Amino acid sequence: KYPQLLYYLSLAYILDGNLDLGARYAREFVDLVPVDVSGRKLLAVTLFQQQKYGEVQEVLQPALDYNPGDVTALNIKANTLLLDGQADTALVLFAHIARLRPDSAVAELSLSTGLLSSGLALGAGASPALAAVLDKRPEFPLSDVMRILEHVQQQDFEQALAAADSYKWREPNDLAPYNILGNGYLVAGQPAQAEE
């Protein structure tokens, strides 16, 4: 009768650390109100926390079909792609987000600020709660990636390569820095280094 209660129940379980029940109720909300973009974003963030990256894409697609310029949905998708080993596509998406939001500093774009500024949370009291949920998300190197991307866009390849190399050494088991560094070398016109 009141589907919005499922949204808040999902949020409550997520805040309590129970991602499974949080995802269950978010999915129920989406099933009852499939056109509600906020519910889709909440479910996507919950799936993101559970590292179910393929499902995140599935849940977000209708929101992006409805509004291809939805910066929040694009931001969630870009971060998902980044952690799912698709750094090339993620970088293209981050560049697109930066073009859609030229007033924002590229390095300041983040999942939590994007969600909160887009009004994802329903009601005045939900924003701090949602921020707390997002603080528990898996770590991802968004600020590093955006810094590299910003240098590439400014054609400052030396700084882009330095930032990518720094990221690579801090995250040696992650494939994304190698991918980003390789792309940086290609853009800088250094194919031998890119291949290496």
Side-chain angles (χ1 to χ4, degrees), residues 44-56:
V45 169
T46 307
L47 293 169
F48 179 88
Q49 290 176 304
Q50 294 178 310
Q51 300 178 14
K52 296 179 180 177
Y53 303 129
E55 290 182 56
V56 172

Side-chain angles (χ1 to χ4, degrees), residues 69-88:
D70 185 329
V71 172
T72 304
L74 289 170
N75 208 350
I76 297 168
K77 182 175 180 175
N79 284 290
T80 302
L81 289 168
L82 186 63
L83 287 186
D84 201 24
Q86 299 178 57
D88 290 350

Side-chain angles (χ1 to χ4, degrees), residues 6-174:
L6 292 169
Y7 181 96
Y8 284 108
L9 190 56
S10 170
L11 195 56
Y13 275 115
I14 295 166
L15 287 169
D16 202 34
N18 192 333
L19 291 178
D20 291 336
L21 280 176
R24 176 182 155 195
Y25 288 112
R27 191 174 302 280
E28 282 186 36
F29 178 78
V30 168
D31 288 345
L32 284 173
V33 194
V35 296
D36 189 293
V37 174
S38 297
R40 287 192 171 276
K41 291 176 188 176
L42 178 65
L43 178 56
V45 169
T46 307
L47 293 169
F48 179 88
Q49 290 176 304
Q50 294 178 310
Q51 300 178 14
K52 296 179 180 177
Y53 303 129
E55 290 182 56
V56 172
Q57 306 287 357
E58 232 176 87
V59 168
L60 277 181
Q61 196 54 54
L64 289 169
D65 290 343
Y66 174 73
N67 179 8
D70 185 329
V71 172
T72 304
L74 289 170
N75 208 350
I76 297 168
K77 182 175 180 175
N79 284 290
T80 302
L81 289 168
L82 186 63
L83 287 186
D84 201 24
Q86 299 178 57
D88 290 350
T89 311
L91 283 173
V92 170
L93 214 44
F94 283 132
H96 180 60
I97 292 167
R99 284 192 299 275
L100 289 173
R101 298 263 300 263
D103 52 322
S104 297
V106 174
E108 289 178 9
L109 283 175
S110 72
L111 185 58
S112 57
T113 57
L115 289 170
L116 293 173
S117 67
S118 73
L120 167 59
L122 303 173
S127 291
L130 186 59
V133 168
L134 294 170
D135 286 341
K136 296 179 183 177
R137 70 191 183 279
E139 288 303 313
F140 52 87
L142 178 60
S143 60
D144 293 293
V145 171
M146 296 309 288
R147 194 172 301 110
I148 295 163
L149 181 60
E150 187 173 31
H151 291 310
V152 169
Q153 287 175 335
Q154 295 170 350
Q155 297 188 354
D156 187 352
F157 299 120
E158 189 176 317
Q159 288 296 323
L161 295 173
D165 195 49
S166 168
Y167 172 32
K168 179 186 78 171
W169 289 110
R170 281 183 282 117
E171 301 289 342
N173 296 323
D174 188 357

